Amino acid sequence: MNAVAVVAVDAPYEPDGRFSYLVPSALRPKVVPGVRVVVPFGRRRLEGIVLDVATAMEAAGGRLLRPILEVLDDEPPFTPELVRLAVHLVETRLIPPYRLLLSMLPPAVKTEERRLIRWNGDDGPIIALPEEAEVLEWIRDRGPVALEAILRRFPEAGPIVDDFLERGWLAEARVRKPRGRTKTVRFAVPNAAAPALREAAASLRGIRQRAVLETLAERGPTPVAELLRLTGASRSSLEALVDAGWIRLEARPLSRRPEVDAAWRRPTVELTDDQKAAVRAIEGALDGGDRRPILLHGVTGSGKTEVYLAAIEATLARGRTALLLVPEIALTPMMLARVEQRFGDRVAILHSGLGAGERHDEWQRIRRGEASVVVGARSAVFAPLADIGLIVLDEEHEASYKQEETPRYHAREIARWRAAHHGAVFVLGSATPSVESYALARAGRYRLVTLPRRVGSARLPDVRVVDLRKEGGGLLSRPLREAIEERLRRGEQVILLQNRRGYAPVMLCRRCGRAIECPHCAVTLTYHRADGALRCHYCGYEQPMVDRCPFCGSPHLIPLGGGTQRVEEALLHSFPEARVLRMDRDTTGRRGAHAELLGRFLRGEADILVGTQMIAKGLDIPRVTLVGIVLADARLGFPDFRAAERTFQLVTQVAGRAGRGELPGEVIVQTYMPDHPSIRAAVTGDVAAFFAAEIAARKKGAYPPYYRLAVVQADARDARVAREALGAVTERLRMAVVPETIVVGPAPAPIPKLRDRFRFHTLIKYKQEPELASKIRRALREIERPVRRQEVAVTVDFDPETLF
């Protein structure tokens, strides 16, 4: 009986992207869950990923199915666990399984289709126009050649190739290959034991050949290039030894491993009583005790990392693997150094800041079982580890764990699922837990473990609030300038947080009162003074700074607000002798920039580090004694139900960078809203007080943790089309959900236009709606044809971190 495969395909207008295909008998042994295949889709050939295989009677349902065309993998790149995860998320969260699975692979493992063009005519003279004949002769002389190679040689040759393909003079084949490959190095490998090699060397007359055998007897297999350098031998000398049977040459994989900055290492310390209690709780869970997720709530500087390391050690001692996630690439060098110091080559690292070769090789090491500890940012949650015993989510409150583009997954949810799948211990650590996690701990769903004190002699810093309504001075108030001056005089270091990059977020005309906006998005352009540009931080649009208002022609344009560039300028003006580093997305775009900048600051090569939220957490730099928050209430005006929570977390976290060594620390918080509950709670470090105030506001507004959220968004180039499409979906949902569920919308999104597309949202607030994903899927399928015809993009986001 024929088999049918359920294949995930990248189909943007299909609610879940799963399709059934017939499995040809010749391909049946290779078609298993997790392999990549090529399938027909309309008039195209697309790559897909097999999710399941069943008999034709079970799956075909009487439909005439098209066959799978090709199998791309000898072995599935996806483990059965990760395939099951993708199926779970498409059924419960409508996350497209193809996009999700593809995001699990490093770029070099992904495939790309190449068009190979070959000559299909006779061997006689080519009768064509001169420019056509040149292209055709070039192809004929080289045999099958990639289309991109033809276009590199002849940039205008595309129409010529298409024309002669149609005439039959040329033929093409389409092949898919991985984008990268394992890098290999040639090794000289001895064919005998060391004593025999030394005996053979003594009998040889050639000095260089003797040196080769003696070196191999001492060192064992050695890279050929290194062996030639050490012995002065030539390649012909090696070939002679190969012919004599003493050695062989073989290609071995070269592991391209990320460099670890040893400056971030710390001496091993005796755990405090609080830390030992936390480790005992984790060990008890590892041994089959209380398996609830553990919320490790520790004040900044309380030694959560040491608890993680001890927990990983306990996990490895039990023969299992561990996964440690951090929210920012900037934190990875620090955490990796600490973990690698403890566990050596058993550690692998995964994050988007690595080179393609490094990511490929680290992923392969994990897949082969050569690494038992993985450290990485959000996407590392998909690391193909086997038998996971421990998953740690450091800074669990961070919004960066949520992928805001398709596929819209949350690393916390994935980690919880994988922990349950493996029977692993799931630890969520933070000095400022998310409201949802804290509520789960209070309700007993999570197990709460606390670290209430800083380790050693370090104590929490003193916090001083500067009321900007009363204190002038621009971006740097007088108290902040005086405190910076004092630290510079004492040779100590300063961190300043300004959570906006660029020079000024708004360029305003004083005559007409209008701001310069992005032509493609409903946002203002940010002025970047360093290169005289106006940039959109959403779509990437850029234009030179203008001398006059584009609306009224006035020359009176003024910058409003201040970003990191403007703070840097103010620092250099006030303290010309200071060494200032700026860390934001503009300065960390190139590979390795995060680690380089932080390493320079750690080594004392700069006095002041100014940056966005990427410097607000995880940094442990003993000589930082002052932290300044330039504008603590920047988020409080946002129409976002998490604005107060984000403000509290950011202020508390960045304040925790001060006074982590023997020197006492101070924090200066500049704000126009010193009496706001989130500012007051952050200044006093009172998590319980903040939670009490915030939970009351959430209950009143029907927000998490009292309600769960889902957002259905429609966007199109025509605002009316987008609104009507979403309106049709919303009406169907209103009729389908239970009466207690609240459906709000459709309404313009907070940013109503992005990248020339108009955006509308419908917000769903629910408590018990177990079939919500199925109800949304059915509503979308009912409008699938008009959506496809009018090119409306509809996305669904469960448990959004932001409503923007």
Side-chain angles (χ1 to χ4, degrees):
M1 182 173 290
N2 289 329
V4 169
V6 178
V7 180
V9 178
D10 191 14
Y13 299 108
E14 163 62 31
D16 63 19
R18 291 179 289 181
F19 300 88
S20 296
Y21 286 90
L22 191 67
V23 182
S25 57
L27 299 180
R28 180 67 187 90
K30 290 186 173 183
V31 177
V32 295
V35 298
R36 292 171 292 186
V37 294
V38 177
V39 295
F41 194 83
R43 298 182 179 180
R44 297 176 291 163
R45 293 162 41 103
L46 296 182
E47 180 183 292
I49 300 165
V50 175
L51 301 177
D52 194 13
V53 181
T55 63
M57 281 183 64
E58 291 172 337
R63 290 172 291 152
L64 182 62
L65 300 180
R66 302 172 75 181
I68 291 173
L69 302 176
E70 184 182 353
V71 179
L72 299 175
D73 300 303
D74 294 326
E75 296 290 336
F78 306 99
T79 65
E81 175 206 356
L82 295 177
V83 174
R84 284 196 289 274
L85 171 62
V87 172
H88 166 74
L89 290 174
V90 70
E91 291 178 350
T92 61
R93 291 291 183 267
L94 293 182
I95 296 177
Y98 177 83
R99 296 274 190 96
L100 180 70
L101 286 164
L102 204 64
S103 71
M104 300 179 187
L105 296 181
V109 179
K110 298 173 185 176
T111 67
E112 59 184 359
E113 186 175 73
R114 303 183 70 192
R115 295 175 63 189
L116 298 180
I117 309 300
R118 63 177 177 83
W119 177 249
N120 198 39
D122 55 37
D123 296 331
I126 296 176
I127 310 301
L129 296 174
E131 62 271 19
E132 296 173 337
E134 184 182 6
V135 173
L136 297 173
E137 287 172 0
W138 191 83
I139 295 172
R140 183 172 67 178
D141 293 344
R142 281 160 179 77
V145 60
L147 178 61
E148 56 264 32
I150 300 172
L151 296 178
R152 276 197 304 270
R153 179 67 176 81
F154 305 100
E156 308 298 327
I160 296 173
V161 171
D162 291 340
D163 182 27
F164 283 90
L165 281 170
E166 191 172 329
R167 296 192 200 185
W169 290 24
L170 297 176
E172 74 168 329
R174 295 175 183 257
V175 297
R176 281 190 173 268
K177 293 184 177 180
R179 296 177 183 175
R181 60 185 177 84
T182 300
K183 188 175 182 179
T184 59
V185 173
R186 282 170 62 81
F187 271 71
V189 182
N191 287 329
L197 289 178
R198 292 191 178 98
E199 184 178 341
S203 67
L204 291 174
R205 302 172 69 181
I207 297 175
R208 304 301 184 196
Q209 291 184 13
R210 285 207 306 268
V212 168
L213 291 186
E214 289 169 352
T215 302
L216 291 176
E218 179 182 349
R219 299 167 61 96
T222 305
V224 167
E226 184 178 349
L227 186 62
L228 297 181
R229 179 179 58 79
L230 291 170
T231 63
S234 65
R235 292 188 179 274
S236 59
S237 298
L238 293 188
E239 294 296 340
L241 291 171
V242 170
D243 293 340
W246 288 110
I247 68 172
R248 66 185 184 275
L249 303 180
E250 60 183 45
R252 292 189 172 185
L254 174 67
S255 181
R256 292 160 285 192
R257 304 218 48 206
E259 293 185 6
V260 178
D261 190 345
W264 292 106
R265 293 178 174 174
R266 295 287 183 271
T268 302
V269 296
E270 178 71 21
L271 296 181
T272 66
D273 290 341
D274 291 332
Q275 290 172 319
K276 289 176 182 177
V279 174
R280 283 196 298 270
I282 296 171
E283 288 179 332
L286 282 169
D287 292 332
D290 191 339
R291 285 297 181 87
R292 289 175 296 169
I294 294 173
L295 179 61
L296 182 62
H297 177 207
V299 299
T300 56
S302 60
K304 291 184 289 296
T305 299
E306 288 298 330
V307 172
Y308 302 155
L309 294 175
I312 293 170
E313 192 167 35
T315 303
L316 298 182
R318 288 158 173 78
R320 306 187 72 185
T321 64
L323 175 60
L324 173 55
L325 299 172
V326 294
E328 299 270 4
I329 293 174
L331 298 182
T332 312
M334 287 154 282
M335 189 66 80
L336 177 64
R338 303 280 296 277
V339 178
E340 191 266 350
Q341 177 184 1
R342 184 78 67 94
F343 304 109
D345 289 340
R346 290 182 288 177
V347 181
I349 178 172
L350 285 179
H351 63 75
S352 59
L354 299 179
E358 291 173 333
R359 289 178 71 184
H360 172 269
D361 291 358
E362 291 289 88
W363 185 86
Q364 293 286 8
R365 287 181 62 232
I366 300 165
R367 191 78 167 90
R368 294 192 298 263
E370 296 170 9
S372 49
V373 181
V374 174
V375 179
R378 180 179 60 220
S379 61
V381 74
F382 300 117
L385 280 168
D387 193 19
I388 300 174
L390 174 70
I391 300 179
V392 175
L393 196 72
D394 189 31
E395 310 290 2
E396 69 87 25
H397 64 278
E398 276 296 317
S400 56
Y401 280 124
K402 179 64 182 284
Q403 168 85 11
E404 294 296 346
E405 303 292 334
T406 301
R408 297 169 185 259
Y409 67 87
H410 200 301
R412 184 169 54 210
E413 180 182 2
I414 305 295
R416 186 163 47 230
W417 188 93
R418 295 196 74 186
H421 177 84
H422 286 271
V425 180
F426 182 31
V427 177
L428 304 94
S430 178
T432 54
S434 66
V435 169
E436 289 91 328
S437 292
Y438 200 66
L440 287 170
R442 294 277 293 269
R445 300 272 298 280
Y446 286 179
R447 186 178 176 188
L448 182 62
V449 176
T450 60
L451 299 174
R453 289 169 286 274
R454 282 193 162 184
V455 297
S457 59
R459 62 182 180 85
L460 290 170
D462 296 325
V463 182
R464 187 162 31 135
V465 176
V466 174
D467 187 345
L468 292 177
R469 297 172 302 179
K470 303 174 183 178
E471 186 73 50
L475 291 173
L476 306 178
S477 65
R478 179 184 51 79
L480 181 55
R481 288 198 309 272
E482 290 174 352
I484 294 172
E485 186 175 12
E486 181 181 349
R487 267 57 181 198
L488 293 176
R489 187 170 58 250
R490 299 198 312 225
E492 296 166 3
Q493 291 178 295
V494 178
I495 287 178
L496 292 184
L497 172 80
Q498 173 66 333
N499 204 23
R500 282 185 180 272
R501 62 188 175 105
Y503 185 82
V506 178
M507 290 301 298
L508 188 74
C509 175
R510 285 193 299 180
R511 175 182 290 175
C512 69
R514 297 180 67 177
I516 302 177
E517 293 188 346
C518 174
H520 308 290
C521 306
V523 297
T524 59
L525 292 175
T526 298
Y527 177 37
H528 288 249
R529 189 168 183 170
D531 50 7
L534 292 167
R535 292 198 182 98
C536 176
H537 289 174
Y538 289 88
C539 73
Y541 170 82
E542 180 177 330
Q543 70 176 54
M545 179 58 191
V546 294
D547 296 326
R548 294 180 174 274
C549 173
F551 305 107
C552 71
S554 167
H556 302 297
L557 293 171
I558 55 172
L560 293 184
T564 49
Q565 287 183 10
R566 199 169 189 180
V567 174
E568 180 185 31
E569 180 185 84
L571 287 169
L572 294 174
H573 179 267
S574 298
F575 310 103
E577 77 285 0
R579 298 168 299 168
V580 180
L581 286 178
R582 174 165 55 87
M583 192 167 177
D584 54 29
R585 196 176 297 177
D586 297 320
T587 62
T588 58
R590 60 182 176 81
R591 179 183 161 198
H594 292 90
E596 177 190 332
L597 288 170
L598 289 175
R600 288 173 59 191
F601 193 60
L602 175 67
R603 292 188 293 271
E605 297 172 14
D607 306 302
I608 304 173
L609 176 65
V610 56
T612 54
Q613 66 178 7
M614 63 177 64
I615 67 169
K617 62 195 82 71
L619 298 186
D620 187 358
I621 301 176
R623 294 202 62 80
V624 172
T625 60
L626 174 67
V627 167
I629 303 173
V630 176
L631 186 60
D633 44 67
R635 287 188 64 101
L636 290 177
F638 284 24
D640 183 356
F641 75 96
R642 296 189 197 273
E645 178 184 7
R646 295 286 180 245
T647 299
F648 169 76
Q649 290 164 343
L650 188 62
V651 174
T652 304
Q653 289 285 343
V654 74
R657 300 315 105 205
R660 296 176 73 94
E662 295 182 358
L663 299 172
E666 181 183 18
V667 180
I668 294 180
V669 179
Q670 298 187 157
T671 176
Y672 288 99
M673 305 172 69
D675 297 323
H676 192 281
S678 63
I679 302 289
R680 285 205 311 270
V683 167
T684 59
D686 194 338
V687 175
F690 170 75
F691 179 79
E694 184 65 11
I695 205 80
R698 298 284 185 90
K699 186 175 185 179
K700 184 177 180 181
Y703 285 111
Y706 293 99
Y707 280 76
R708 298 188 68 178
L709 302 181
V711 175
V712 184
Q713 175 185 298
D715 64 81
R717 292 192 175 275
D718 186 310
R720 179 186 58 81
V721 168
R723 185 182 182 92
E724 288 179 355
L726 185 58
V729 172
T730 302
E731 287 309 309
R732 287 166 171 79
L733 287 174
R734 280 200 175 95
M735 293 185 289
V737 297
V738 299
E740 292 76 17
T741 294
I742 304 168
V743 180
V744 182
I751 301 177
K753 187 176 79 166
L754 278 179
R755 302 176 184 88
D756 293 318
R757 296 181 69 87
F758 294 90
R759 309 161 73 235
F760 291 85
H761 282 180
T762 288
L763 179 62
I764 305 168
K765 301 180 178 183
Y766 63 101
K767 290 186 175 181
Q768 296 294 328
E769 197 71 67
E771 298 298 322
L772 182 58
S774 297
K775 292 173 181 177
I776 295 175
R777 182 187 292 112
R778 286 194 293 271
L780 293 177
R781 281 198 170 128
E782 291 179 23
I783 65 162
E784 180 182 347
R785 288 185 178 178
V787 161
R788 183 180 301 177
R789 185 175 62 251
Q790 296 175 315
E791 296 185 341
V792 180
V794 181
T795 57
V796 182
D797 189 7
F798 283 85
D799 302 318
E801 281 293 310
T802 175
L803 300 182
F804 277 75

